[in-house]
Amino acid sequence: MKMTGGVEWGLHCCVVLSSATEPVAAAKLAELHDVSATYLAKQLQLLSRAGLVRSAPGQSGGYLLTRPATEITVLDVVEAIDGPQPAFRCTEVRQRGPMAVPPDRCDTPCPIAAVMDTADRAWRESLRAVTIGAIAATVAATTPGELLDRARVWLSA
Amino acid sequence: MKMTGGVEWGLHCCVVLSSATEPVAAAKLAELHDVSATYLAKQLQLLSRAGLVRSAPGQSGGYLLTRPATEITVLDVVEAIDGPQPAFRCTEVRQRGPMAVPPDRCDTPCPIAAVMDTADRAWRESLRAVTIGAIAATVAATTPGELLDRARVWLSA
DNA sequence: TCATTGCGGATAACTTTTGTCCGTGATGAT
DNA sequence: ATCATCACGGACAAAAGTTATCCGCAATGA
């Protein structure tokens, strides 16, 4: 089981955008993080479709967050890029084979699927509890101020 | 993000094995669940390597649980088949690009990775809290007794 | 002795992820 | 007005992971 790598990129981009006052071009975000520009563009488009970021075309265009970073959860970004589907998908094996239980007796959900679903909810709940703003605050608190300043300058250059 | 389908098969097999007194052949488990016999064999080998099931070669051989089903958690099966790796893998993007923070300043873990790690722990904790025995009990309680009897007969036949 | 069964490796089909490329349209600077 | 810059979307291709299949081997019990 592996999450798409785009999630990591998307989260880093949102953290960067949380301290941006002017639109930041996709190419700039890609260069900053040293990742494929064309592929990152795809992920940003997903964020855009999900309504997490706003895009401005044309010269001096780029991306900005649509709302305060403290109102965007990690789960928002994960679901925007990775999709809302749970990792486990029940294929109803109990309804197959020689001992198949008839569909009309399957009123209760498969217990196995129920367990996986509970775990998935716990996972999502955990991701929902943290915002981009909180992550940005941690970054600000743990990296040397000089580095942060340089980054800010580099971004607007 | 998608979990390997073998996890579902492995869980169903463990539930079946929890009420078996004699070894059950891999081919039989495959037929019972109507899945690929050769591929299921691979998953069972993973369970075997993880020490969850014991295998007996030769005629009238097959698989049995190594311990009571109440002492095997869903997480045990998931990790045996899907591997122990967390879904999110930090690639340390902060150490890349023109604004890379030097490795020696990365004493604290990447906040993004930390969030994902916490969520992963919550997920695993949730799966650890449920045993195969508990699932088997639910199955026993929600399926008609006649069906259970037929299955038991079919298994030993 | 022999059929049955699990084990491990090699292999291939298939799907998903990752990444590129190009044309289009919108925007602002000159 | 024109032009370079940018996001958007689709088509496409490469790489990785999943889902199988097949084979020879070793072990076991009938």
Side-chain angles (χ1 to χ4, degrees):
Chain A
M1 185 174 50
K2 181 170 169 284
M3 183 179 308
T4 62
V7 169
E8 186 179 14
W9 299 4
L11 286 167
H12 276 280
C13 285
C14 285
V15 170
V16 168
L17 290 178
S18 73
S19 65
T21 58
E22 294 168 17
V24 182
K28 199 143 213 173
L29 289 169
E31 189 188 354
L32 174 64
H33 294 129
D34 186 27
V35 296
S36 156
T38 55
Y39 190 40
L40 178 64
K42 296 290 187 196
Q43 321 297 340
L44 290 170
Q45 283 170 29
L46 291 174
L47 293 180
S48 177
R49 275 181 228 166
L52 300 181
V53 302
R54 185 177 68 83
S55 67
Q59 209 158 297
S60 78
Y63 290 96
L64 276 181
L65 296 184
T66 55
R67 31 183 217 267
T70 51
E71 294 174 21
I72 298 178
T73 71
V74 173
L75 181 62
D76 288 332
V77 178
V78 168
E79 292 196 326
I81 293 181
D82 209 53
Q85 297 185 330
F88 179 89
R89 296 158 210 185
C90 179
T91 61
E92 288 292 339
V93 301
R94 56 181 177 167
Q95 295 183 32
R96 294 162 52 179
M99 290 299 124
V101 3
D104 50 303
R105 304 304 296 254
C106 288
D107 44 350
T108 61
C110 174
I112 290 175
V115 171
M116 303 305 283
D117 185 60
T118 299
D120 189 78
R121 285 173 197 277
W123 181 72
R124 294 188 136 81
E125 199 53 47
S126 185
L127 294 181
R128 201 195 329 267
V130 183
T131 69
I132 298 297
I135 292 179
T138 304
V139 170
T142 58
T143 59
E146 170 238 350
L147 250 175
L148 289 175
D149 291 340
R150 273 210 297 142
R152 213 182 321 272
V153 169
W154 186 90
L155 261 186
S156 52
Chain B
M1 186 175 51
K2 182 167 169 285
M3 184 179 309
T4 63
V7 169
E8 185 179 14
W9 298 5
L11 286 168
H12 276 280
C13 285
C14 285
V15 170
V16 168
L17 290 179
S18 73
S19 65
T21 57
E22 295 168 17
V24 182
K28 199 143 212 172
L29 288 169
E31 188 188 354
L32 173 65
H33 294 129
D34 187 26
V35 296
S36 157
T38 55
Y39 190 40
L40 179 64
K42 294 291 187 197
Q43 321 297 338
L44 290 171
Q45 284 170 29
L46 291 174
L47 293 180
S48 177
R49 274 181 229 168
L52 301 180
V53 302
R54 185 176 68 82
S55 68
Q59 209 158 297
S60 77
Y63 289 97
L64 275 181
L65 297 184
T66 53
R67 30 183 218 267
T70 51
E71 294 173 20
I72 298 177
T73 71
V74 173
L75 181 63
D76 289 331
V77 178
V78 168
E79 293 196 327
I81 294 181
D82 210 53
Q85 298 184 330
F88 179 90
R89 294 158 212 186
C90 179
T91 60
E92 288 292 338
V93 301
R94 57 181 176 166
Q95 295 184 33
R96 294 162 51 178
M99 291 300 123
V101 3
D104 49 305
R105 305 304 297 253
C106 286
D107 44 351
T108 60
C110 174
I112 290 176
V115 171
M116 304 305 281
D117 186 60
T118 299
D120 189 78
R121 285 173 197 276
W123 181 72
R124 293 187 137 80
E125 200 53 47
S126 185
L127 294 180
R128 200 195 329 268
V130 183
T131 68
I132 298 297
I135 293 179
T138 305
V139 170
T142 58
T143 59
E146 169 239 351
L147 250 176
L148 290 175
D149 290 341
R150 274 210 296 143
R152 212 182 323 271
V153 169
W154 185 90
L155 261 187
S156 52

